[in-house]
Amino acid sequence: MFTTMEKKELKVSAIKNGTVIDHIPAKDLFKVIRILGLDRIDTPVTFGNNLDSQKFGKKAIIKVSDKFFEDKEINKIALIAPTANLNIIRDYEVKEKRPVELPATIKGICKCINPKCITNAEPMPTKFDVIAGDTVSLKCFYCGKVTDHDHIEIV
Ligand code: CTP
Ligand code: ZN
């Protein structure tokens, strides 16, 4: 028998090895899945959405078995989910726990807000300087226009 507390904890099963991305704001779950390409990998991925969280009201969690991301790869999610927390699991134990970190620059992923920008005319990856403040915005390396947080569009 499980106690009420244990029942709450068991919403998404524990994994043996891999990466658990916790404290994702619920509304951002599918963007995170796209940024990390989790719709295209072949290791087991489980996720839960709209789970109760004391900090966020509703949160999402993603568990990717047998996958350990490069910092550069995983930190991209800080753009849209700066509150996300990474847990590295080895042999069922949490071996490392850290928040995601905003990268200084970001290549690809987002669209430049300027319709006249070369990146919107040519088949080329976008490139931005990340401007951190209360919210994150992106300054285009090519045209200099700033895409504010509310307009960040994942491609
Ligand atoms: N986890 C998992 N598989 C394991 C061990 C842990 O999926 N073998 C998950 C837990 O479900 C939790 C996260 O990894 O979502 C972090 O585990 P832990 O640090 O034990 O949980 P909390 O103390 O709740 O973490 P935090 O304080 O960061 O919320
Ligand atoms: Zn541009």
Side-chain angles (χ1 to χ4, degrees), residues 41-99:
I41 69 168
D42 44 21
T43 52
V45 180
T46 52
F47 64 81
N49 200 13
N50 296 321
L51 307 176
D52 289 323
S53 156
Q54 303 209 322
K55 272 189 224 160
F56 305 107
K58 297 283 178 197
K59 71 163 186 179
I61 187 165
I62 305 176
K63 303 190 178 188
V64 190
S65 291
D66 305 321
K67 174 119 181 119
F68 303 95
F69 296 89
E70 302 275 342
D71 283 0
K72 218 177 119 193
E73 203 181 352
I74 198 112
N75 279 336
K76 290 175 181 173
I77 72 173
L79 268 188
I80 52 132
T83 53
N85 208 50
L86 306 174
N87 297 275
I88 309 303
I89 315 292
R90 294 192 195 269
D91 208 13
Y92 288 106
E93 282 189 18
V94 181
K95 287 289 180 208
E96 200 190 320
K97 194 189 266 291
R98 66 169 178 87

Side-chain angles (χ1 to χ4, degrees), residues 3 11 13 22 25-26 44 51 57-58 71 73 78 80 89 96 110 128 130 141:
T3 63
K11 277 176 183 151
S13 323
D22 198 0
L51 307 176
K58 297 283 178 197
D71 283 0
E73 203 181 352
I80 52 132
I89 315 292
E96 200 190 320
C110 306
F128 303 93
V130 175
F141 174 82

